Protein backbone atom coordinates (compact mmCIF):
# COMPACT_ATOMS: atom_id res chain seq x y z
CA UNK A 1 0.00 0.00 0.00
CA UNK A 2 2.89 2.26 0.94
CA UNK A 3 4.58 1.41 -2.32
CA UNK A 4 1.39 2.10 -4.19
CA UNK A 5 1.08 5.54 -2.47
CA UNK A 6 4.61 6.56 -3.35
CA UNK A 7 4.02 5.49 -6.92
CA UNK A 8 0.89 7.65 -7.02
CA UNK A 9 2.85 10.58 -5.57
CA UNK A 10 5.47 10.12 -8.21
CA UNK A 11 2.85 10.12 -10.98
CA UNK A 12 1.27 13.26 -9.46
CA UNK A 13 4.56 15.10 -9.27
CA UNK A 14 5.40 14.05 -12.81
CA UNK A 15 2.01 15.26 -14.13
CA UNK A 16 2.43 18.57 -12.31
CA UNK A 17 5.79 19.09 -13.89
CA UNK A 18 4.34 18.28 -17.32
CA UNK A 19 1.32 20.56 -16.73
CA UNK A 20 3.52 23.34 -15.42
CA UNK A 21 5.61 22.96 -18.52
CA UNK A 22 2.53 23.32 -20.65
CA UNK A 23 1.52 26.45 -18.78
CA UNK A 24 4.66 28.41 -19.39
CA UNK A 25 4.59 30.49 -22.51
CA UNK A 26 7.08 29.12 -24.97
CA UNK A 27 10.00 31.43 -25.63
CA UNK A 28 8.82 34.09 -28.06
CA UNK A 29 9.46 32.77 -31.52
CA UNK A 30 12.05 34.87 -33.34
CA UNK A 31 10.14 37.16 -35.70
CA UNK A 32 11.23 36.45 -39.24
CA UNK A 33 13.23 39.44 -40.41
CA UNK A 34 11.42 41.56 -42.99
CA UNK A 35 12.81 40.35 -46.28
CA UNK A 36 14.97 43.30 -47.29
CA UNK A 37 14.28 44.43 -50.83
CA UNK A 38 17.50 43.72 -52.55
CA UNK A 39 18.38 46.44 -55.00
CA UNK A 40 20.12 45.51 -58.21
CA UNK A 41 23.85 46.21 -57.90
CA UNK A 42 23.79 49.24 -60.22
CA UNK A 43 20.97 50.80 -58.20
CA UNK A 44 22.57 49.90 -54.87
CA UNK A 45 25.73 51.66 -56.02
CA UNK A 46 23.75 54.91 -56.38
CA UNK A 47 22.19 54.39 -52.96
CA UNK A 48 25.61 53.77 -51.45
CA UNK A 49 26.94 56.95 -53.05
CA UNK A 50 24.21 58.80 -51.16
CA UNK A 51 23.08 61.02 -54.05
CA UNK A 52 21.24 60.55 -57.29
CA UNK A 53 22.78 62.89 -59.85
CA UNK A 54 20.33 63.86 -62.57
CA UNK A 55 20.80 66.02 -65.66
CA UNK A 56 17.68 68.09 -66.23
CA UNK A 57 16.62 71.09 -68.27
CA UNK A 58 16.72 74.46 -66.54
CA UNK A 59 14.69 76.34 -69.14
CA UNK A 60 11.74 74.16 -70.11
CA UNK A 61 8.58 75.16 -68.23
CA UNK A 62 6.62 72.24 -66.75
CA UNK A 63 9.46 69.78 -67.52
CA UNK A 64 12.61 71.19 -65.97
CA UNK A 65 12.79 74.81 -64.98
CA UNK A 66 15.21 76.43 -62.58
CA UNK A 67 14.04 79.27 -60.38
CA UNK A 68 16.82 81.79 -60.93
CA UNK A 69 16.26 83.36 -57.50
CA UNK A 70 16.35 80.19 -55.42
CA UNK A 71 18.20 77.77 -57.69
CA UNK A 72 15.36 75.32 -57.16
CA UNK A 73 14.32 73.02 -60.03
CA UNK A 74 10.68 72.35 -60.80
CA UNK A 75 8.70 70.36 -63.33
CA UNK A 76 7.45 66.94 -64.30
CA UNK A 77 10.95 65.64 -65.01
CA UNK A 78 12.14 66.92 -61.64
CA UNK A 79 9.31 65.00 -59.96
CA UNK A 80 10.24 61.87 -61.89
CA UNK A 81 13.80 62.14 -60.58
CA UNK A 82 12.48 62.51 -57.02
CA UNK A 83 10.23 59.46 -57.50
CA UNK A 84 13.24 57.37 -58.56
CA UNK A 85 15.21 58.57 -55.51
CA UNK A 86 12.31 57.70 -53.21
CA UNK A 87 12.06 54.22 -54.68
CA UNK A 88 15.77 53.67 -54.12
CA UNK A 89 15.43 54.84 -50.54
CA UNK A 90 17.08 58.24 -50.90
CA UNK A 91 15.53 61.42 -49.53
CA UNK A 92 14.33 64.07 -51.98
CA UNK A 93 17.12 66.39 -50.98
CA UNK A 94 19.61 63.74 -52.00
CA UNK A 95 18.83 64.34 -55.67
CA UNK A 96 21.48 66.56 -57.18
CA UNK A 97 20.16 68.35 -60.23
CA UNK A 98 22.53 69.46 -62.94
CA UNK A 99 21.34 71.78 -65.71
CA UNK A 100 22.03 70.24 -69.13
CA UNK A 101 21.48 71.20 -72.76
CA UNK A 102 20.86 69.08 -75.85
CA UNK A 103 24.60 69.27 -76.44
CA UNK A 104 25.94 68.53 -72.95
CA UNK A 105 23.61 65.81 -71.64
CA UNK A 106 25.23 62.86 -73.48
CA UNK A 107 28.85 63.74 -72.65
CA UNK A 108 27.91 64.32 -68.99
CA UNK A 109 26.53 60.78 -68.84
CA UNK A 110 29.58 59.39 -70.61
CA UNK A 111 32.08 60.96 -68.26
CA UNK A 112 30.17 59.79 -65.19
CA UNK A 113 29.25 63.23 -63.87
CA UNK A 114 25.58 62.30 -63.76
CA UNK A 115 23.68 59.03 -63.28
CA UNK A 116 20.61 59.90 -65.33
CA UNK A 117 19.33 62.34 -67.91
CA UNK A 118 15.68 63.31 -67.59
CA UNK A 119 15.70 66.26 -69.96
CA UNK A 120 13.27 66.10 -72.89
CA UNK A 121 15.69 63.53 -74.34
CA UNK A 122 14.14 61.99 -77.44
CA UNK A 123 14.57 58.24 -77.85
CA UNK A 124 16.14 57.57 -81.25
CA UNK A 125 17.64 54.33 -82.59
CA UNK A 126 21.07 55.91 -83.09
CA UNK A 127 20.98 57.35 -79.55
CA UNK A 128 20.04 53.93 -78.18
CA UNK A 129 23.34 52.68 -79.52
CA UNK A 130 25.15 55.24 -77.36
CA UNK A 131 23.05 55.33 -74.19
CA UNK A 132 20.46 53.29 -72.35
CA UNK A 133 16.92 54.64 -72.57
CA UNK A 134 13.88 53.78 -70.50
CA UNK A 135 10.47 53.24 -72.04
CA UNK A 136 8.85 56.55 -73.08
CA UNK A 137 7.26 58.71 -70.39
CA UNK A 138 6.00 61.51 -72.64
CA UNK A 139 5.45 62.29 -76.28
CA UNK A 140 5.86 65.68 -77.89
CA UNK A 141 6.15 67.01 -81.42
CA UNK A 142 8.45 69.45 -83.18
CA UNK A 143 7.12 72.95 -83.75
CA UNK A 144 8.10 76.38 -85.03
CA UNK A 145 8.13 79.71 -83.23
CA UNK A 146 7.95 82.85 -85.42
CA UNK A 147 7.53 86.55 -84.86
CA UNK A 148 3.93 87.65 -85.25
CA UNK A 149 5.16 90.58 -87.33
CA UNK A 150 6.60 88.13 -89.91
CA UNK A 151 3.11 87.25 -91.05
CA UNK A 152 4.19 83.57 -91.34
CA UNK A 153 1.31 81.27 -90.41
CA UNK A 154 2.52 77.84 -91.56
CA UNK A 155 5.66 75.90 -92.49
CA UNK A 156 5.04 76.65 -96.19
CA UNK A 157 5.63 80.32 -95.41
CA UNK A 158 9.24 79.56 -94.51
CA UNK A 159 10.38 78.98 -98.11
CA UNK A 160 13.86 80.48 -98.52
CA UNK A 161 14.01 81.39 -94.82
CA UNK A 162 16.50 80.55 -92.08
CA UNK A 163 15.55 78.39 -89.13
CA UNK A 164 17.41 78.39 -85.82
CA UNK A 165 17.97 74.98 -84.24
CA UNK A 166 20.01 73.63 -81.33
CA UNK A 167 23.19 71.62 -81.79
CA UNK A 168 22.67 68.00 -80.84
CA UNK A 169 18.88 68.25 -81.18
CA UNK A 170 16.57 66.27 -83.43
CA UNK A 171 14.94 69.45 -84.79
CA UNK A 172 17.07 70.06 -87.87
CA UNK A 173 16.43 66.63 -89.41
CA UNK A 174 12.75 66.79 -88.51
CA UNK A 175 12.27 70.19 -90.16
CA UNK A 176 14.26 69.12 -93.23
CA UNK A 177 12.00 66.09 -93.74
CA UNK A 178 8.90 68.31 -93.47
CA UNK A 179 10.34 70.97 -95.77
CA UNK A 180 11.11 68.30 -98.38
CA UNK A 181 7.56 67.00 -98.11
CA UNK A 182 6.20 70.52 -98.53
CA UNK A 183 8.57 71.17 -101.45
CA UNK A 184 10.19 74.23 -99.83
CA UNK A 185 13.83 75.16 -99.31
CA UNK A 186 15.05 76.21 -95.88
CA UNK A 187 18.42 77.09 -94.37
CA UNK A 188 19.59 76.36 -90.84
CA UNK A 189 21.67 78.13 -88.26
CA UNK A 190 22.78 76.05 -85.28
CA UNK A 191 23.17 77.37 -81.73
CA UNK A 192 24.38 75.86 -78.46
CA UNK A 193 21.45 77.00 -76.36
CA UNK A 194 17.78 77.89 -76.70
CA UNK A 195 18.11 81.44 -75.30
CA UNK A 196 20.63 82.08 -78.09
CA UNK A 197 18.16 80.92 -80.76
CA UNK A 198 15.45 83.04 -79.23
CA UNK A 199 17.72 86.08 -79.26
CA UNK A 200 18.48 85.38 -82.93
CA UNK A 201 14.76 85.27 -83.64
CA UNK A 202 14.27 88.56 -81.82
CA UNK A 203 17.10 90.21 -83.72
CA UNK A 204 15.98 88.82 -87.09
CA UNK A 205 19.05 86.63 -87.66
CA UNK A 206 16.70 83.68 -88.02
CA UNK A 207 13.09 83.67 -89.22
CA UNK A 208 11.94 80.79 -87.05
CA UNK A 209 13.03 78.90 -83.96
CA UNK A 210 12.40 75.16 -84.15
CA UNK A 211 12.39 72.57 -81.42
CA UNK A 212 9.85 70.45 -79.49
CA UNK A 213 6.70 72.39 -78.68
CA UNK A 214 7.19 71.83 -74.94
CA UNK A 215 10.50 73.67 -75.15
CA UNK A 216 9.14 76.41 -77.41
CA UNK A 217 6.36 77.12 -74.93
CA UNK A 218 8.96 78.62 -72.62
CA UNK A 219 9.95 81.21 -75.20
CA UNK A 220 6.62 82.54 -76.45
CA UNK A 221 6.35 86.29 -75.94
CA UNK A 222 3.79 88.98 -76.75
CA UNK A 223 5.42 89.32 -80.14
CA UNK A 224 5.83 85.65 -81.10
CA UNK A 225 3.63 82.66 -81.79
CA UNK A 226 4.00 78.86 -82.12
CA UNK A 227 2.68 77.81 -85.53
CA UNK A 228 -0.12 75.21 -85.50
CA UNK A 229 2.04 72.80 -87.55
CA UNK A 230 3.48 69.97 -85.50
CA UNK A 231 5.55 67.12 -86.83
CA UNK A 232 7.93 64.28 -86.05
CA UNK A 233 6.46 63.01 -82.74
CA UNK A 234 9.21 62.58 -80.14
CA UNK A 235 9.17 60.01 -77.33
CA UNK A 236 11.06 61.17 -74.25
CA UNK A 237 13.01 58.57 -72.26
CA UNK A 238 15.19 58.51 -69.15
CA UNK A 239 18.77 57.93 -70.25
CA UNK A 240 21.71 56.40 -68.43
CA UNK A 241 25.16 55.21 -69.38
CA UNK A 242 25.30 52.43 -71.98
CA UNK A 243 25.19 49.04 -70.30
CA UNK A 244 23.37 50.12 -67.13
CA UNK A 245 20.64 47.62 -67.93
CA UNK A 246 19.73 46.91 -64.29
CA UNK A 247 19.18 50.60 -63.69
CA UNK A 248 17.08 50.93 -66.84
CA UNK A 249 14.95 47.95 -65.85
CA UNK A 250 14.49 49.39 -62.37
CA UNK A 251 13.28 52.67 -63.89
CA UNK A 252 11.04 50.88 -66.38
CA UNK A 253 9.41 48.92 -63.55
CA UNK A 254 8.73 52.20 -61.76
CA UNK A 255 7.25 53.80 -64.90
CA UNK A 256 4.99 50.78 -65.45
CA UNK A 257 3.82 50.98 -61.84
CA UNK A 258 3.22 54.72 -62.08
CA UNK A 259 1.16 54.09 -65.21
CA UNK A 260 -1.03 51.47 -63.61
CA UNK A 261 -1.54 53.10 -60.20
CA UNK A 262 -2.47 56.49 -61.67
CA UNK A 263 0.61 58.31 -60.34
CA UNK A 264 1.77 59.17 -63.85
CA UNK A 265 -1.60 60.71 -64.78
CA UNK A 266 -1.56 62.75 -61.56
CA UNK A 267 1.93 63.98 -62.36
CA UNK A 268 1.01 65.02 -65.91
CA UNK A 269 -2.08 66.79 -64.60
CA UNK A 270 -0.05 68.60 -61.96
CA UNK A 271 2.11 70.12 -64.72
CA UNK A 272 -0.72 70.69 -67.19
CA UNK A 273 0.71 68.16 -69.63
CA UNK A 274 -2.24 65.88 -70.31
N1 LIG B 1 13.86 66.48 -77.66
C1 LIG B 1 14.72 66.86 -78.72
C2 LIG B 1 15.98 66.06 -78.67
O1 LIG B 1 16.15 65.25 -77.80
C3 LIG B 1 14.98 68.34 -78.70
C4 LIG B 1 16.20 68.81 -78.05
C5 LIG B 1 16.14 68.91 -76.56
O2 LIG B 1 15.59 68.07 -75.90
O3 LIG B 1 16.71 69.88 -76.06
O4 LIG B 1 16.80 66.20 -79.54
Amino acid sequence: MKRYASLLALVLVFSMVVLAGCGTTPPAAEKPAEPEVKLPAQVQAIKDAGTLRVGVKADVPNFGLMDAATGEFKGMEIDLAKAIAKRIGLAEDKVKFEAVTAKTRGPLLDNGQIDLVIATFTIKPERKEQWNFSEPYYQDEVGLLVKKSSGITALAGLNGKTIGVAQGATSRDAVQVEADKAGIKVKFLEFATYPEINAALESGRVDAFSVDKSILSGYVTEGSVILPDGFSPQDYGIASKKGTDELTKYINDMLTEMDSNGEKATLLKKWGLN
Side-chain angles (χ1 to χ4, degrees), residues 1-272:
M1 183 68 195
K2 211 174 155 203
R3 252 180 90 204
Y4 184 69
S6 45
L7 194 68
L8 194 70
L10 205 70
V11 168
L12 267 174
V13 168
F14 182 73
S15 340
M16 273 166 74
V17 167
V18 170
L19 278 175
C22 290
T24 54
T25 35
E30 289 261 311
K31 259 201 185 162
E34 285 285 326
E36 206 169 89
V37 191
K38 196 166 166 6
L39 294 172
Q42 288 170 355
V43 181
Q44 185 65 46
I46 294 173
K47 187 172 184 176
D48 292 345
T51 45
L52 175 67
R53 302 160 308 160
V54 189
V56 293
K57 288 292 181 77
D59 57 358
V60 184
N62 303 315
F63 286 82
L65 189 66
M66 192 183 81
D67 184 324
T70 62
E72 200 192 335
F73 286 86
K74 282 188 183 139
M76 192 261 273
E77 292 178 329
I78 307 305
D79 285 351
L80 273 180
K82 289 177 180 170
I84 295 169
K86 189 172 167 202
R87 196 175 167 92
I88 294 178
L90 287 173
E92 263 189 22
D93 64 355
K94 296 295 175 208
V95 186
K96 188 174 167 284
F97 293 109
E98 173 117 14
V100 299
T101 66
K103 204 180 162 191
T104 64
R105 59 194 166 189
L108 283 170
L109 269 183
D110 291 339
N111 68 23
Q113 262 174 267
I114 51 179
D115 303 302
L116 299 174
V117 166
I118 317 182
T120 67
F121 206 179
T122 301
I123 306 169
K124 298 210 71 180
E126 58 271 30
R127 286 181 176 169
K128 280 175 103 171
E129 281 171 23
Q130 260 185 292
W131 302 289
N132 272 29
F133 277 90
S134 72
E135 293 299 321
Y137 60 86
Y138 189 77
Q139 192 181 67
D140 198 10
E141 54 181 10
V142 175
L144 294 154
L145 182 74
V146 296
K147 274 174 135 175
K148 283 182 184 162
S149 60
S150 69
I152 296 166
T153 55
L155 176 77
L158 285 166
N159 196 16
K161 307 273 188 209
T162 304
I163 299 173
V165 290
Q167 292 160 356
T170 50
S171 332
R172 183 178 183 150
D173 290 350
V175 175
Q176 188 59 64
V177 168
E178 267 338 272
D180 291 347
K181 274 196 225 160
I184 60 164
K185 291 241 173 301
V186 289
K187 284 171 276 179
F188 294 97
L189 261 186
E190 292 197 352
F191 298 83
T193 67
Y194 297 119
E196 283 174 77
I197 310 178
N198 202 41
L201 179 68
E202 292 295 319
S203 70
R205 250 185 103 200
V206 298
D207 305 290
F209 169 3
S210 179
V211 73
D212 310 354
K213 285 188 170 176
S214 56
I215 300 173
L216 286 181
S217 69
Y219 293 93
V220 184
T221 61
E222 278 277 290
S224 62
V225 62
I226 298 176
L227 297 182
D229 300 74
F231 39 87
S232 188
Q234 314 265 305
D235 277 333
Y236 293 167
I238 298 175
S240 51
K241 216 173 188 166
K242 187 78 187 159
T244 52
D245 297 0
E246 289 175 352
L247 179 58
T248 304
K249 185 184 177 303
Y250 189 80
I251 290 169
N252 279 339
D253 289 348
M254 184 192 83
L255 291 175
T256 307
E257 238 174 76
M258 288 178 84
D259 254 334
S260 53
N261 67 14
E263 253 183 81
K264 167 102 173 289
T266 309
L267 199 58
L268 292 176
K269 201 162 162 220
K270 174 178 171 191
W271 296 104

